Amino acid sequence: MKKVNFLVSLLLLCYVGSFAQQMPNGSFETWNGGEPDQWNTTNTNLLGLVDFTTVTKDLTNPQHGTASAKLTVVTKTIPLVGTFTIQGALTLGTLNIDPIAQTASLTGGYPFTGMPQKLTGYFKYQPVGNDTCVFGWGLTKWNNGIQDTIGYAAIDTMGTFNNWTYFEIPLEYLIWEAPDTMNILFVNSNPLDGLNHTGTKLWIDNLSFVYGTVGIEGVTFSKALNIYAEPFAKQLVLSSSFEKPENLDISLFN
């Protein structure tokens, strides 16, 4: 019988911990050109005639820090052209919107190699006309020119929330593999129900990822697997026994 012990130094543990990657500007403290840094919005100018400012920096009552992101449904009329409504949206990707054709698409994302369990944050919501908002996020990886979906999750919410309310969105992993791209999307209104939701407001603040133990792959042939810490020696010990000698390839992820 072969017994295997692995001693991992505190230095390695600190190095592994660095992979607990967070999203940029998750509390919306830094803004540039009317948009939160690293984020894209539905703020746009239509036909060079009218500005639609759907996402603004709100300093009045942040949940964390000095600012939050406020998303508002905006409707404006351009003489001789028509009346247009644009929902408030926030994303780490690229929004391609056509208010005239009433179409939108989302591409890209933020470089990301972490594997969080869930997205958490706080929101307030003041809907108009039984409106609903949608929060979603996902992880992807490019594979020979095709973007594979590692995992995704989304929730929708209706009703009025005048006070900051905690939310969390656990991710459903479809592929157990490290991603290379992450995206988050907040949309403050439902554009498909045919109702007028002008003035619907959504506030978002204090976003973060929660990491934890998702699983241990490949250790199905061991009689027992013990993991424990030796704090005075500053070591983490992984100890297991096997019926016969095994060639092992072990990776440790935070």
Side-chain angles (χ1 to χ4, degrees):
M1 180 179 294
K2 182 179 181 182
K3 186 171 184 178
V4 183
N5 288 277
F6 299 92
L7 303 182
V8 184
S9 68
L10 183 62
L11 177 62
L12 176 58
L13 289 178
C14 293
Y15 174 78
V16 171
S18 69
F19 286 97
Q21 189 176 358
Q22 293 292 336
M23 85 278 299
N25 199 18
S27 286
F28 304 103
E29 295 297 291
T30 308
W31 292 65
N32 185 23
E35 292 189 331
D37 278 354
Q38 304 291 336
W39 294 80
N40 290 302
T41 74
T42 43
N43 292 349
T44 189
N45 179 280
L46 186 57
L47 302 175
L49 300 174
V50 176
D51 287 323
F52 285 78
T53 305
T54 60
V55 179
T56 56
K57 182 180 183 179
D58 194 343
L59 302 174
T60 57
N61 181 30
Q63 196 281 328
H64 178 77
T66 62
S68 64
K70 179 181 177 182
L71 289 65
T72 306
V73 177
V74 176
T75 298
K76 291 189 177 183
T77 298
I78 302 176
L80 304 179
V81 178
T83 299
F84 303 93
T85 297
I86 298 181
Q87 290 71 35
L90 269 174
T91 179
L92 289 171
T94 300
L95 280 168
N96 305 290
I97 60 173
D98 186 340
I100 297 177
Q102 291 292 291
T103 61
S105 63
L106 177 64
T107 58
Y110 183 77
F112 196 83
T113 57
M115 300 181 72
Q117 282 188 318
K118 53 191 173 184
L119 168 69
T120 68
Y122 291 83
F123 78 102
K124 296 189 296 182
Y125 192 47
Q126 296 176 355
V128 173
N130 294 321
D131 207 356
T132 58
C133 57
V134 176
F135 310 163
W137 69 292
L139 303 173
T140 58
K141 182 176 183 177
W142 287 102
N143 183 14
N144 295 323
I146 299 175
Q147 198 167 24
D148 292 335
T149 300
I150 302 298
Y152 67 92
I155 60 173
D156 55 44
T157 299
M158 64 184 304
T160 300
F161 296 82
N162 289 319
N163 298 315
W164 286 110
T165 303
Y166 175 79
F167 72 87
E168 59 181 41
I169 312 175
L171 191 72
E172 179 183 357
Y173 277 89
L174 306 178
I175 305 172
W176 183 238
E177 188 173 342
D180 57 28
T181 305
M182 177 269 295
N183 207 345
I184 301 174
L185 176 65
F186 297 97
V187 181
N188 75 334
S189 179
N190 179 10
L192 303 177
D193 63 7
L195 301 177
N196 183 357
H197 299 302
T198 302
T200 286
K201 297 178 178 64
L202 169 68
W203 289 261
I204 299 292
D205 201 5
N206 199 8
L207 302 177
S208 64
F209 285 126
V210 174
Y211 288 79
T213 302
V214 177
I216 301 176
E217 286 195 314
V219 190
T220 58
F221 47 82
S222 170
K223 282 189 172 182
L225 178 66
N226 298 311
I227 304 177
Y228 57 94
E230 291 184 349
F232 296 105
K234 296 182 179 180
Q235 294 176 330
L236 181 69
V237 180
L238 291 81
S239 176
S240 190
S241 298
F242 301 87
E243 293 293 341
K244 60 181 180 179
E246 299 281 355
N247 293 320
L248 300 180
D249 182 8
I250 293 178
S251 299
L252 178 64
F253 296 93
N254 183 321

